[in-house]
Amino acid sequence: MPFLLLLILFFWLFPYLIIPFLIFSIIGFLFLIPYVVFFNSFLNVLTIPWQIFKIASNKQIRKNHSLEHATVNVLEERYGKSLRIGGLAYSNGFSLSGPDLPSPYEVLDATREGIYRMKKGETYLALHPRCGTSIATSTFLLSLGFIIVLFFFNNLSLLNIAGVFILANILSKPLGLTVQRFFTTYTDIKDISIIDIYGKPSTYNFPFEIIINPNRTYFIETTSNKNKLFWFPF
């Protein structure tokens, strides 16, 4: 803040330096773009596979991730359109949030239908084209493409950038679904049971949140029958 005030005072005293300063800043920004892109791309290429590996190594999260997708797919089937709903999977369930999220009773019913249909063989419900896995895959492809372009061409031209975007866009959907199928979801959910659905508090603190809050959030708790202990009297 003090630096900003000093900068404003400086330009107030020497207004003729504003244009040279802006030109210098723009040139410097353009000069740094390739380095920023390379650093960010390099970071994505390292971190995204690790994040996917962490999910892939936890079968319980993968099962709940499948059920999360199944719930959204069932809801979108019922409404006949894409819904603005996002979700996160955990080892003990999954959360859903978004402005298009319906009532908790409807969400819970969709979850029950999803788990029933998946157990009956409709395993395609475990995949969703707008999953974060697909987004991460697209980001990974873009980052890898930028690194390859910088490595082989030593610069970023509009033609190179356009080529990377087009190629990543073409490959991201099929590759994203493949990564979902084999790494971040698990379709065998026969041992999964639904416990209950809970509403998370709103950040807006609206009254009657469950009715009017456009960003409501629910957590659907699940459990694995393998984790249950049964006691039999002798």
Side-chain angles (χ1 to χ4, degrees):
M1 191 65 180
F3 174 77
L4 183 60
L5 292 175
L6 288 174
L7 192 63
I8 294 173
L9 179 61
F10 177 79
F11 286 132
W12 182 72
L13 294 173
F14 307 100
Y16 53 87
L17 294 178
I18 294 178
I19 294 179
F21 176 80
L22 290 176
I23 294 174
F24 177 80
S25 299
I26 292 172
I27 293 174
F29 176 75
L30 293 175
F31 176 78
L32 290 175
I33 282 179
Y35 298 97
V36 174
V37 170
F38 177 80
F39 176 78
N40 188 60
S41 299
F42 184 75
L43 194 64
N44 286 332
V45 168
L46 291 179
T47 58
I48 290 176
W50 172 244
Q51 292 169 358
I52 292 175
F53 172 77
K54 287 196 297 183
I55 297 174
S57 60
N58 191 320
K59 191 174 290 185
Q60 196 66 22
I61 292 180
R62 292 174 63 186
K63 291 180 180 181
N64 286 321
H65 193 197
S66 299
L67 189 53
E68 171 205 327
H69 287 172
T71 302
V72 176
N73 280 322
V74 170
L75 288 172
E76 290 184 337
E77 284 180 4
R78 293 179 179 180
Y79 282 85
K81 63 178 183 179
S82 296
L83 300 176
R84 292 172 295 172
I85 298 176
L88 289 172
Y90 306 90
S91 58
N92 63 333
F94 63 93
S95 64
L96 292 175
S97 61
D100 291 339
L101 199 62
S103 70
Y105 312 104
E106 191 171 354
V107 171
L108 185 58
D109 184 64
T111 304
R112 287 170 175 161
E113 180 180 334
I115 197 170
Y116 173 80
R117 289 170 60 180
M118 283 190 64
K119 288 180 178 180
K120 291 296 182 179
E122 296 184 54
T123 55
Y124 65 90
L125 291 173
L127 306 179
H128 198 282
R130 298 193 310 277
C131 171
T133 302
S134 296
I135 297 173
T137 302
S138 177
T139 303
F140 175 82
L141 290 173
L142 279 173
S143 300
L144 185 62
F146 283 138
I147 290 176
I148 293 173
V149 167
L150 287 171
F151 183 79
F152 285 101
F153 297 97
N154 296 322
N155 60 28
L156 282 177
S157 66
L158 290 177
L159 184 62
N160 292 337
I161 293 174
V164 170
F165 268 102
I166 293 172
L167 187 61
N169 188 57
I170 293 173
L171 296 177
S172 61
K173 186 174 181 179
L175 186 59
L177 291 174
T178 301
V179 173
Q180 284 186 56
R181 181 177 289 109
F182 294 105
F183 295 100
T184 64
T185 63
Y186 195 82
T187 57
D188 185 5
I189 59 171
K190 294 178 181 178
D191 61 320
I192 297 295
S193 300
I194 302 168
I195 296 179
D196 206 347
I197 185 170
Y198 309 96
K200 288 190 174 182
S202 167
T203 55
Y204 298 100
N205 296 317
F206 287 154
F208 310 109
E209 173 197 350
I210 208 70
I211 300 174
I212 66 172
N213 182 14
N215 292 312
R216 60 183 66 163
T217 299
Y218 305 136
F219 180 77
I220 296 87
E221 186 179 4
T222 64
T223 185
S224 173
N225 296 330
K226 293 179 180 179
N227 296 331
K228 292 182 178 180
L229 296 177
F230 296 93
W231 295 89
F232 298 94
F234 292 96

